[in-house]
Amino acid sequence: MKLNPGLIALSVGAFGIGVTEFAPMGLLPIIAADLGVSIPSAGLLISAYAIGVMLGAPLMTLTTGRVPRRKLLIALAGIFTAGNLLAAVSDSYGMLLASRLLTSLNHGAFFGVGSIVAASLVPPQRQAGAVAAMFMGLTIANVVGVPLAAWAGEHLGWRAAFWGIAGLGLVTMAALRLTLPSLPAPKGAKVMAELRALTRGDVLGALALTVIGSSAMFTVFTYIAPILREATHASSAFITAMLFTYGVGLTIGNWLGGRFADRSVDRTLIATLASLTAVLVAFAMLMGHAAASAGLIFLWGIASFALVPPLQVRVMSAASEAPSLASAVNIGAFNLGNAFGAALGGGVIAAGWGYPMVALAGAATSAIDLVAVWFSTSPDRARLSPGINP
């Protein structure tokens, strides 16, 4: 994918939002200790964000259909900035929970509208790669932003991390304004057409695959810090290094997912889900060994995010005649899976079944999604061409 100023601007926005979404996962033990709550309770901060994305995605998309795209994306980044400022000054668990809900309202619409804009900037045969290019900012956030936030939380307090993320919001708004071309609202956009597309069986099926697939990732990743601290007996420095390693894997996986999804969406999903299942089973067996865990976390990152471009393009293609709402709702579906995964992992921990069972729960979820993709794939879908209307 050649450098494209619009894609770069969208990737900058994805980077900022990615940091605010994933940073609390590396800060859970610190936040829990400071606010006097349990690790599973702190994990609800992740679930609350995910639920807010799920609710905010259709609401923001349907009510902003006539807003010019660049103006809308900047406004959404402004909501993100305000939410992180509130988190930075939070002095109670309830206030922090409210800030996470506010921050999440922009997420689905930003990535949903951004995906459509990204796809419109390139030829049809490169649309999966364009979506992956935008999501590259999200993966780089995991390589750079999340480990940095974990370090800041460890040495400066978790509130300092949110102050830094709010600063990223301002950078995002400036980048969008300076580099994204002027983009008018879609002509003839109709709410009923978007809603009808969303009710079709193939679109709903694609959304369900997204929910299950992302659940497999977040069942384990939500609790990666306590897993490494207690099961692997790792130091804070090792945990930060593993967050970086996982982020590198996400970046590679995002690139691979976009590259291969331009050839075949369904075959990419099948290969990736099979790999994710195997890696999580191995992690359950070997998480007590630091060296093995490091290698598996890297492979886990690759498999986790190689899912994202094909899942997003699958939904956008299924609703190609009215993709905006379906695209945004699919971002909500990713985060609904996030919420389910966080709740599933927290339930396993609360039941006292141990951290290896958390990884096995994630592997089981991935296997379920693999079976669903396998049976939903037909020979004439060997290549799923996006054909997305901007």
Side-chain angles (χ1 to χ4, degrees):
M1 185 66 60
K2 296 180 179 179
L3 290 179
N4 181 303
L7 293 180
I8 293 172
L10 292 169
S11 185
V12 170
F15 176 84
I17 294 175
V19 175
T20 200
E21 179 181 14
F22 294 117
M25 297 176 186
L27 299 170
L28 280 188
I30 299 170
I31 293 174
D34 184 62
L35 298 180
V37 298
S38 66
I39 290 290
S41 294
L44 292 178
L45 295 169
I46 312 298
S47 298
Y49 186 95
I51 292 171
V53 173
M54 181 185 64
L55 297 176
L59 176 65
M60 299 294 287
T61 302
L62 290 176
T63 57
T64 59
R66 297 184 179 181
V67 179
R69 303 293 89 176
R70 183 174 66 182
K71 182 177 180 180
L72 173 58
L73 290 170
I74 293 172
L76 293 170
I79 295 173
F80 151 83
T81 304
N84 280 290
L85 287 173
L86 181 61
V89 300
S90 294
D91 58 3
S92 68
Y93 177 78
M95 188 174 179
L96 182 58
L97 189 67
S99 75
R100 295 292 290 168
L101 286 169
L102 173 62
T103 308
S104 68
L105 293 178
N106 81 96
H107 186 122
F110 185 92
F111 279 107
V113 173
S115 294
I116 301 300
V117 170
S120 72
L121 296 176
V122 299
Q125 69 273 17
R126 290 287 181 261
Q127 289 179 339
V131 172
M134 176 187 173
F135 277 90
M136 187 65 72
L138 189 61
T139 63
I140 294 174
N142 282 275
V143 176
V144 179
V146 174
L148 185 59
W151 178 89
E154 187 75 25
H155 296 280
L156 304 174
W158 60 267
R159 291 177 182 84
F162 283 104
W163 279 113
I165 296 170
L168 279 176
L170 297 177
V171 173
T172 296
M173 295 171 71
L176 291 169
R177 178 63 182 85
L178 294 173
T179 63
L180 198 66
S182 180
L183 297 166
K187 295 181 179 179
K190 295 181 179 179
V191 172
M192 291 309 300
E194 296 281 353
L195 291 173
R196 281 195 299 270
L198 194 62
T199 61
R200 293 210 315 267
D202 55 346
V203 176
L204 292 174
L207 291 170
L209 293 177
T210 296
V211 173
I212 301 170
S214 57
S215 294
M217 172 183 175
F218 286 103
T219 295
V220 190
F221 185 55
T222 301
Y223 302 98
I224 187 62
I227 286 173
L228 291 175
R229 181 167 294 178
E230 298 183 29
T232 314
H233 306 292
S235 65
S236 296
F238 185 84
I239 293 172
T240 300
M242 288 305 96
L243 291 173
F244 177 83
T245 299
Y246 186 79
V248 172
L250 293 181
T251 303
I252 295 173
N254 179 69
W255 176 76
L256 290 174
R259 181 179 178 86
F260 287 103
D262 274 328
R263 302 177 185 178
S264 172
V265 167
D266 289 335
R267 285 200 295 268
T268 301
L269 287 173
I270 289 170
T272 302
L273 286 165
S275 300
L276 180 59
T277 303
V279 168
L280 289 177
V281 170
F283 186 52
M285 299 171 61
L286 300 172
M287 65 174 55
H289 305 278
S293 293
L296 289 169
I297 285 170
F298 176 67
L299 295 175
W300 172 28
I302 293 176
S304 292
F305 229 81
L307 288 173
V308 174
L311 286 171
Q312 184 72 4
V313 170
R314 204 179 205 269
V315 169
M316 291 163 63
S317 177
S320 59
E321 75 285 357
S324 294
L325 180 60
S327 178
V329 169
N330 195 51
I331 302 300
F334 277 113
N335 285 270
L336 179 59
N338 181 337
F340 283 158
L344 175 59
V348 171
I349 295 169
W353 294 344
Y355 287 115
M357 282 301 299
V358 175
L360 289 178
T365 307
S366 178
I368 291 170
D369 208 35
L370 173 61
V371 172
V373 173
W374 182 273
F375 282 104
S376 69
T377 301
S378 57
D380 61 348
R381 287 176 55 114
R383 170 174 171 81
L384 181 58
S385 177
I388 302 157
N389 296 318

